[in-house]
Structure formats: C-alpha cells, structure tokens
Amino acid sequence: QLRRDYVANISHELRTPLTGIRGMVEPLIDGVFDTEAEKQDCYQIIYKETIRLEKLIREMLDMSRLQDGRMTIETEEMEVNFILDEAAARVRKTAAEAGVDLQVQAREKLICQGNEDRILQVLTIFLDNALSFTPAGGSITIFGRREENRVVLGVRDTGCGIQPKDLPYIWERFYKVDKSRMRTTGTGLGLAIAKLIVERMHGKIGVNSEPGKGSEFWLALETGE
C-alpha cells in the first residue's frame, strides 16, 4: 500500500508541472500568440514549471539516497553562526518581494557537531516553508541559541500556524496542509528530507506552532563538548 501510494503521489506531482509546460508549448507551436509580450509570458511559465520539476526530481533522489543509506553525512565540530547568515542571504530577495521582514538572531558564538551543507539545506527548507505561509507584513526570524549541551537552530515566523490535526503528519512524504493558505506550491517532500538529514547527524528536529500565531521549526545538534 505504501508503495502504491508513493507511486500515485509521484505521478500526481510530476503531472502538474508537465501539464503546465504542455499547456504553454502547444499554443506556441500553433502560433496562437501574436505579440512578443504574450510569448514572453509563456516562456516565463515554462521556465518556472521546469524549475519546479527539477526541484521535485532532486528532492525525490535525496529522499531515496537518505532512506537507503547511499547518502553519507560526515559531521565535524564547527561554528554555525555564519550558516545562519548564508541561509538568510539565500532568501532575502524573495522575502523582500513578498513584503516579509527577515532577521537573523544569534546572541553568542555557536559551535556544534554537524555538516555545513546539510544544516544549510535544512534551514533553507524551513525558510521556504515559512515564506509560503507568512503573509505580507509578517516577519521571519532565523535563530540560533545554546541549550545546555546542544545548539538549537531554526526558523520562526508570524504566519498562519499549523492546525493540531496536521502536526503529527507534517514530516511524512508528500503531506501538505491547506493549500489555500500557501503563497507558493511545495512538493510535500521538504520536511521529510529535513527530518532524515537531522537524524543522520544524530540530532533532533521539531516544531512549535499555534494556529493564527505562527510556527517555529528547529533542529538541535550536540555541541561536541
């Protein structure tokens, strides 16, 4: 049943961008669009759907490698403050265009046992989620703090929050909450990948959320001390 559900979900997710691409290519071939502006609009849609398709395939491959152990994650003692700034830099333009205030909050030098690329990947997944559910005028904070023998990194937003009924399922493959509240369309794989990555680094992952008040996604890694 799991296998059938997985194939059905993949088929659905692949069909959506492919339908969008085909819907633009056919009128271009038939010469339906007369002006250059109309053609440019079509090219933009094709480009965006192609990016969406590439992201889905990349995430599916990551999921497969993580689940069967082909993706090894080597960890080392490292300072992570600069990773928070790098994560912010990746989405700063998108946040500005969405009218969302973006901040980085880390009061002390943070050192933990982890992998730079993978921590950045997880934070980017958290940020993509936050941007999808935070309306214009809201704020997103990338934070880092020390709690006893671990370092906690994460993303806090002032978005719509997550309903209690959805919380147990958000880490599952292809699970999506109410699409009507999303600014962008996700694949439903991001949080499942984030969970596998953090577990491979021997860390913990979690979320604190209240409907109407926002969410805080976090990962916790050992300090190595």
Side-chain angles (χ1 to χ4, degrees), residues 135-177:
S139 66
I140 294 174
T141 303
I142 308 168
F143 65 85
R145 60 177 181 259
R146 177 158 179 169
E147 294 182 356
E148 298 179 351
N149 64 336
R150 66 180 191 172
V151 167
V152 179
L153 309 173
V155 173
R156 185 187 309 115
D157 66 62
T158 60
C160 57
I162 303 169
Q163 295 294 326
K165 66 181 178 65
D166 290 314
L167 281 173
Y169 308 106
I170 61 171
W171 309 105
E172 294 182 5
R173 296 175 302 183
F174 294 111
Y175 187 80
K176 297 181 184 180
V177 298

Side-chain angles (χ1 to χ4, degrees), residues 59-73 118 121 192-201:
E59 288 183 344
M60 284 164 46
L61 287 171
D62 280 351
M63 176 73 71
S64 175
R65 293 186 184 118
L66 283 162
Q67 286 183 317
D68 63 19
R70 283 182 292 139
M71 182 185 287
T72 57
I73 300 178
R118 297 308 168 192
Q121 184 178 358
I193 290 171
K195 185 173 186 290
L196 286 170
I197 289 172
V198 173
E199 288 173 348
R200 294 293 186 277
M201 290 191 293

